[in-house]
């Protein structure tokens, strides 16, 4: 009798696969995640960074690799946005386990730059735990949080390519970095009090204070005593002071100088946003916007009983507030116990300052003390700004945590394009293949520093993404510094008219729309006829726009001065209509003679300047100290009404219908009506006039989708009234979701316009 011996179970055949993952997979803890996933599933192999991708080799049974491959995208950490580039069978290798390999830098560029992230809940818990070795350490971070774009020098995302390159890890941090079970496993900017960046508190005439606790305590004491402190943050310096101290705020305004422009306020975060709700009226939309990963400044209505002084935002009903977005901010707010003004440390219109020596030198007349740190800021990034308009948080400014903003193009560019934006609210955009990235807000290009940061951002963006522009797209305005730079670049130039770029920027977000009527209402832009546009409606698609309506032109006495002196636009309208305005700051005289003779009085169709005029005629504001000052006050004062004044729409040369503003003037000059009543009627009348223009265009030209683009549509009251009227009359309406409707979106629109021109040219060749 023979007994059959049990046979050992046959091991499943081992196979191997290679995955390449693109998208946002660097700087988000993706390699440690892949490592832990492989260990959990028993997969052998390795993972490594390529230039902008992650390459993964996995080996195991067919079932193990099936589970591993499915989970790679499905279970990725929240900041990641992975995209499968390749998945192929590979020859097995003799591998004992799974490892993280050194990065490969020679791979083709497919860079996705990680964005700055606020501290995660786990890091905040450690920050406030007296028994943790990182207790009160202002640079705490892990693979899930912390600065990224502002401290990256190049990809792949490894410590030597960041601002932490000169901070060697201590033994404790090195152990965490190497421990697969630690959430700081392969955290490239890991730091602690023993080996990381440090704070320094500086006041004139005193020795610097060092040591985390001493510097924080000194800074908080200074803020409590009414000092203005320059605080180095993630993307630049803030000027911070007590947001409840009118005297300190007045001094900040006087010495900056920033007499009227609203100041942002930083308020401590808690689970219910109870501290923010003490000062502001927040609904679910505001709360969601405040807690967005970018931690933007969000415009919200102030609370009547909140206690924030009017000096924060003189004459306005909304205040820009934000939650702390760095451990340092959390520590300052915890210690201070109240809201802090947190406005950009810069000279008016310039990019935010990032270097200690330059900040101290340029703001010595203003700042009482400085809270510095020695972690370099590689790329300046001001705070992003959003406003709730039409049930969504619309971007007014791109910045830290929200940019570089990466978007997909509807089809591929034939060669890489660099768009250099406008003169104010400048951003740049880089487009290649089917991708586009838009820089953070740079600012105005009127100063040497503004132009220097503009040029550095151009170099940085191309370097980070490994793309060299072969063509430049710029605004047609002959006096824009961005255009002068483009002409001097030596590269082929594509010129795009200002309002075509505004229209294309909106159209680029909705490539499925086949035909548009875009209202491009803003301040001023150079038009195809050489005039200063600003009240147009453009029919068509990117690359093929036709102006169908416009605002009746009027002259701007003093030219560019009218942008900061609303009374000039008001006086011009009155002279044009033969009406008398008794409250003009100037008696006419020489200015009226110049107006009659057309000397330095360029004509414009600008709705933005019409808003300026209305602010002056209602007695709200004759002189502005910042761009959009008059319109902001007019909106804040407006009492909503269903009444409106019908504005005539008449045909003129070239099949362009002209909207006449003249019937508004008697109402705006009527002192028997309150300023709020007049402001409300003005908004309602323009909203109804916009509807009338859309109806006229539909009657004559057929169906289209209506778009609202241009800086005037930052005005929530006008935009929401216009959207409601349009929707009520059967129009589909689109607003920008990702790109600012103001000049901050011009660079994106310039790329879109150039892209469609190229496509049209290719089809007709």
């Amino acid at each position: 009798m023979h007994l059959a011996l049990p046979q050992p179970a046959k091991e499943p055949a081992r196979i191997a696969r290679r995955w390449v993952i693109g998208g946002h997979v660097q700087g988000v803890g993706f390699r440690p995640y892949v490592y832990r996933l492989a260990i959990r599933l028993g997969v052998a192999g390795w993972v490594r960074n390529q230039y902008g991708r992650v390459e993964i080799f996995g080996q195991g049974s067919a079932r193990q690799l099936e589970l591993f491959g499915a989970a790679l995208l499905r279970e990725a950490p929240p900041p990641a946005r992975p995209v499968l580039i390749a998945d192929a069978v590979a020859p097995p290798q003799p591998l004992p386990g799974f490892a993280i390999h050194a990065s490969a830098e020679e791979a083709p560029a497919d860079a996705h730059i990680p964005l700055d992230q606020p501290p995660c809940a786990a890091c905040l818990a450690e920050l406030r735990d007296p028994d943790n070795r990182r207790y009160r350490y202002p640079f705490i971070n892990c693979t899930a949080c912390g600065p990224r774009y502002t401290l990256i020098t190049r990809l792949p995302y490894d410590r030597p390519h960041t601002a932490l390159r000169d901070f060697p890890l201590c033994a404790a941090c090195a152990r965490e970095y190497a421990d697969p079970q630690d959430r700081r496993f392969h955290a490239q900017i890991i730091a602690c009090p023993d080996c990381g960046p440090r704070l320094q508190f500086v006041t004139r005439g005193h020795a610097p204070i060092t040591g985390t606790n001493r510097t924080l305590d000194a800074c908080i004491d200074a803020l409590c005593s009414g000092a203005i402190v320059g605080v180095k943050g993630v993307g630049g310096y803030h000027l911070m002071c007590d947001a409840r101290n009118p005297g300190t705020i007045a001094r900040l305004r006087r010495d900056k100088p920033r007499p009227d422009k609203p100041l942002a306020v930083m308020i401590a975060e808690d689970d219910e946003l109870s501290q923010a709700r003490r000062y502001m009226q927040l609904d679910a939309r505001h709360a969601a916007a405040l807690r967005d990963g970018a931690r933007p400044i969000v415009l919200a209505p102030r609370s009547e009983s909140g206690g924030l002084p009017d000096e924060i935002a003189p004459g306005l009903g909304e205040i820009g507030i934000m939650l702390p977005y760095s451990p340092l901010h959390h520590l300052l707010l915890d210690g201070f116990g109240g809201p802090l003004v947190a406005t950009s440390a810069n000279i008016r219109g310039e990019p935010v300052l990032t270097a200690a020596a330059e900040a101290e030198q340029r703001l010595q007349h203003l700042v009482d003390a400085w809270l510095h740190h020695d972690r370099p800021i590689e790329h300046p990034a001001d705070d992003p700004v959003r406003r709730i308009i039409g049930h969504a948080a619309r971007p007014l400014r791109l910045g830290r945590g929200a940019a570089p903003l990466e978007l997909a193009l509807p089809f591929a560019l034939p060669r890489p394009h660099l768009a250099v934006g406008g003169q104010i609210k400048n951003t740049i955009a880089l487009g290649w293949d089917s991708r586009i990235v838009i820089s953070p807000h740079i600012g105005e290009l009127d100063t040497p520093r503004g132009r220097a940061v503009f040029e550095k951002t151009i170099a940085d963006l191309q370097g980070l993404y490994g793309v060299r522009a072969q063509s430049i797209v710029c605004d047609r305005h002959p006096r824009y510094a961005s255009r002068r730079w483009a002409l001097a670049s030596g590269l082929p130039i594509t010129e795009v008219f200002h309002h075509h770029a505004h229209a294309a920027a909106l159209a680029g977000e909705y490539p499925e729309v086949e035909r548009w009527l875009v209202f491009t209402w803003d301040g001023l832009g150079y038009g195809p006829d050489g005039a200063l546009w600003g009240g147009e409606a453009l029919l068509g698609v990117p690359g093929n726009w036709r102006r169908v309506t416009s605002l009746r032109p009027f002259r701007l006495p003093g030219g560019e001065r009218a942008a900061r002196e609303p009374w000039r636009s008001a006086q011009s309208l009155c002279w044009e209509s033969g009406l008398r305005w008794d409250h003009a700051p100037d008696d006419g005289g020489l200015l009226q003679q110049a107006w009659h003779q057309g000397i330095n009085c360029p004509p414009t169709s600008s709705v933005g300047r019409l808003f300026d005029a209305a602010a002056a005629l209602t007695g709200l504001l004759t002189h502005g100290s910042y761009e959009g000052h008059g319109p902001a006050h007019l909106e804040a004062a407006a009492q909503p009404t269903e009444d409106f004044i019908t504005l005539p729409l008449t045909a003129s040369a070239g099949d362009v219908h002209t909207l006449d503003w003249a019937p508004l003037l008697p109402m705006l000059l009527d002192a028997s009506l309150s300023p709020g009543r007049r402001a409300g009627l003005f908004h309602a009348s323009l909203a109804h006039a916009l509807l009338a223009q859309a109806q006229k265009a539909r009657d004559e030209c057929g169906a289209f989708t209506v778009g609202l683009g241009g800086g005037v549509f930052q005005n929530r009251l006008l935009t929401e009234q216009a959207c409601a009227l349009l929707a009520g009359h059967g129009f589909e309406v689109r607003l920008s979701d990702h790109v600012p409707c103001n000049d901050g979106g011009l660079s994106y629109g310039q790329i879109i316009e150039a892209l469609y021109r190229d496509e049209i040219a290719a089809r007709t060749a």
Side-chain angles (χ1 to χ4, degrees):
M1 180 177 180
H2 297 281
L3 295 175
L5 297 176
Q7 299 295 313
K10 187 176 182 180
E11 290 190 9
R14 300 188 70 76
I15 58 175
R17 298 192 74 84
R18 174 183 172 272
W19 294 267
V20 177
I21 309 293
H24 288 267
V25 288
Q26 295 202 20
V28 293
F30 196 78
R31 286 178 297 169
Y33 152 72
V34 172
Y35 178 95
R36 286 189 284 268
L37 177 65
I39 298 302
R40 189 182 87 205
L41 296 176
V43 172
W46 47 262
V47 58
R48 67 176 180 177
N49 275 344
Q50 292 181 340
Y51 185 87
R53 302 174 175 178
V54 169
E55 182 183 10
I56 304 163
F57 178 87
Q59 188 166 282
S61 68
R63 179 60 177 164
Q64 286 173 313
L65 295 189
E66 179 186 358
L67 294 172
F68 182 71
L72 280 175
L73 303 185
R74 186 182 65 241
E75 299 178 15
R81 297 202 298 273
V83 176
L84 181 64
I85 303 296
D87 175 6
V89 174
Q93 301 175 10
L95 296 170
F98 201 89
I100 295 179
H101 282 182
S103 298
E105 302 191 24
E106 73 283 355
D110 185 30
H112 294 267
I113 305 300
L115 301 178
D116 302 288
Q117 297 290 325
C120 66
C123 281
L124 286 176
E126 291 179 345
L127 184 74
R128 295 173 172 133
D129 180 1
D131 296 325
N132 191 279
R133 73 186 188 93
R134 291 187 176 87
Y135 174 57
R136 298 193 84 200
Y137 182 58
F139 306 100
I140 189 171
N141 65 82
C142 67
T143 55
C145 67
R148 295 296 192 264
Y149 164 74
T150 51
L151 52 68
I152 288 175
T153 57
R154 63 187 179 95
L155 291 180
Y157 177 64
D158 292 322
R159 192 178 185 89
H161 303 159
T162 74
L164 276 293
R165 57 191 172 274
D166 296 325
F167 294 88
L169 295 178
C170 65
C173 284
R175 284 194 297 271
E176 292 171 333
Y177 183 89
D179 182 359
Q181 303 308 313
D182 196 287
R183 78 174 195 281
R184 294 188 173 90
F185 179 48
H186 274 257
Q188 299 304 321
I189 58 170
I190 185 175
C192 79
D194 293 330
C195 64
R198 293 173 170 82
L199 296 176
Q200 182 185 68
F201 186 76
V202 176
T203 52
R204 282 192 298 274
H206 296 83
I209 297 174
T210 58
T212 298
N213 290 332
R214 293 180 67 233
T215 54
L216 287 171
D217 291 345
C219 183
I220 291 165
D221 287 345
L223 291 166
C224 289
S225 69
I228 298 168
V229 181
V231 178
K232 187 177 182 180
V234 172
Y237 278 86
H238 280 129
L239 300 178
M240 304 190 84
C241 68
D242 185 351
R244 299 164 299 185
N245 187 328
T248 301
I249 295 168
R251 183 163 61 87
L252 170 63
R253 289 196 173 282
R254 181 195 69 212
D255 295 341
K256 193 169 191 279
R258 186 177 172 141
D260 306 290
K261 193 173 183 180
L263 300 168
V265 176
M266 186 177 285
I267 303 179
E269 181 178 9
D270 51 56
D271 289 343
E272 302 300 324
L273 294 180
S274 58
Q275 295 194 52
R277 294 181 194 280
R278 186 182 311 162
Y279 300 100
M280 312 300 297
Q281 300 177 48
L282 305 180
D283 61 22
R285 299 169 300 171
H286 295 108
L290 284 166
R291 285 185 162 140
D292 181 85
R295 291 298 192 270
I297 297 169
V298 178
L299 302 186
R302 66 169 84 210
S303 171
E304 294 294 334
S305 59
L308 290 180
D310 289 340
E311 288 82 356
I312 294 288
L316 302 180
E318 290 185 333
I319 292 176
I321 65 167
M322 60 179 153
L323 301 178
Y325 56 82
S326 77
L328 177 58
H329 294 141
H330 280 278
L331 291 168
L332 290 176
L333 288 164
D334 287 351
F336 182 71
L340 290 168
V341 166
T343 191
S344 303
N346 62 349
I347 306 299
R348 186 169 69 181
E350 288 189 354
V352 63
L353 292 162
T354 59
E358 184 181 15
E360 286 193 26
Q361 187 272 323
R362 301 195 71 192
L363 296 176
Q364 58 183 319
H365 64 288
L366 166 64
V367 175
D368 301 311
W370 295 92
L371 185 60
H372 299 304
H373 62 71
D374 57 355
R375 185 178 69 193
I377 297 173
E378 300 294 343
H379 311 291
D382 218 328
D383 297 315
V385 182
R386 295 178 188 169
R387 191 181 194 193
I388 307 299
I389 301 175
H391 310 296
R394 311 286 176 184
L396 304 187
R397 184 171 78 190
L398 299 176
R400 178 263 322 141
L405 174 63
E406 301 188 12
L407 299 172
L409 294 172
F411 38 86
L413 284 161
R415 60 193 179 282
H417 285 50
L418 172 72
V420 293
Q423 183 72 7
I424 63 172
K425 295 182 171 65
N426 180 267
T427 62
I428 64 166
L430 183 64
W432 73 101
D433 297 336
S434 296
R435 296 180 59 193
I436 185 170
V437 293
I438 310 165
S439 76
H441 168 85
I442 296 170
E444 298 183 11
L445 302 186
D446 294 328
T447 65
R449 185 167 189 277
R451 293 189 291 273
V453 173
F454 164 78
E455 293 181 9
K456 181 181 185 298
T457 305
I458 288 172
D460 288 350
L461 212 63
Q462 293 181 94
L464 285 171
Y465 286 92
V467 174
R468 184 62 52 186
Q470 297 175 18
S471 177
I472 309 293
V473 193
C474 65
D475 195 285
R476 180 64 182 82
H477 197 297
R479 296 175 61 184
Y480 278 9
S482 53
R483 181 174 182 266
R484 291 197 301 270
W485 183 91
L487 292 171
S489 70
L491 292 173
I493 302 296
T494 299
E495 294 181 323
V496 172
F497 288 106
H498 191 93
H499 295 91
H500 292 176
H502 273 313
L506 180 58
E509 293 198 41
Y510 302 100
E512 71 279 7
V513 174
E514 296 181 355
R515 194 175 191 230
W516 288 93
L517 180 71
V518 183
F519 289 87
T520 56
W521 288 5
D522 66 354
L524 297 172
Y526 191 82
D529 57 358
L532 297 175
W533 286 13
E536 277 57 48
L538 304 180
L539 181 70
V541 294
N544 187 20
W545 299 108
R546 177 169 67 90
R547 179 167 66 158
V548 293
T549 67
S550 183
L551 187 72
R552 173 184 165 186
F554 59 96
R555 282 177 276 182
L556 294 178
E560 293 181 359
R561 290 185 62 180
R564 293 295 172 91
E565 299 182 21
W567 71 268
R568 292 175 177 269
S569 295
Q571 188 66 282
S572 177
L573 296 181
C574 291
W575 288 336
E576 185 89 23
S577 304
L579 297 175
R580 180 181 175 84
W581 181 34
D582 294 327
H583 302 288
D586 188 285
D587 62 1
L590 293 176
L591 186 66
Q592 189 170 13
Q593 292 180 35
W595 180 85
H596 275 296
Q597 297 173 29
I599 299 173
N600 194 24
C601 293
T604 182
S605 57
S606 168
V607 173
R609 298 292 84 83
L610 182 64
F611 265 88
D612 284 343
L617 293 173
T618 53
L620 294 170
L621 189 75
T622 58
H623 292 74
S625 63
Y626 61 90
E627 198 245 345
H629 192 176
H633 276 241
L634 195 72
E635 180 189 2
Q639 299 170 357
T641 178
E642 294 185 2
D643 297 331
F644 65 95
I645 296 167
T646 299
L647 303 184
L649 187 63
T650 57
S652 57
D655 296 326
V656 176
H657 289 81
T658 302
L659 184 72
D660 190 356
W661 38 260
L664 292 169
L665 295 185
M667 177 272 294
L668 292 171
L669 289 165
D670 187 353
S672 69
L673 301 176
S674 69
R677 171 66 172 165
R678 285 180 273 173
L681 281 168
F682 178 82
H683 281 80
S685 300
L686 281 186
H688 280 271
L690 189 151
L691 170 64
Q693 292 175 81
Q695 290 175 314
K696 186 69 172 177
R698 182 168 62 183
D699 291 344
E700 295 185 354
C701 305
F704 44 70
T705 294
V706 176
L708 305 182
V712 165
F713 296 108
Q714 296 173 118
N715 182 308
R716 180 180 54 80
L717 178 59
L718 172 69
T719 303
E720 292 182 350
Q721 285 183 335
C723 286
L725 288 170
L726 289 163
H729 287 78
F731 289 98
E732 182 181 12
V733 189
R734 302 291 177 93
L735 305 175
S736 177
D737 285 329
H738 303 292
V739 179
C741 65
N742 56 43
D743 283 9
L746 285 178
S747 61
Y748 174 66
Q750 288 166 352
I751 293 275
I752 296 295
E753 187 73 6
L755 170 67
Y756 277 82
R757 283 190 198 175
D758 288 342
E759 177 69 10
I760 292 170
R763 288 202 310 264
T764 57

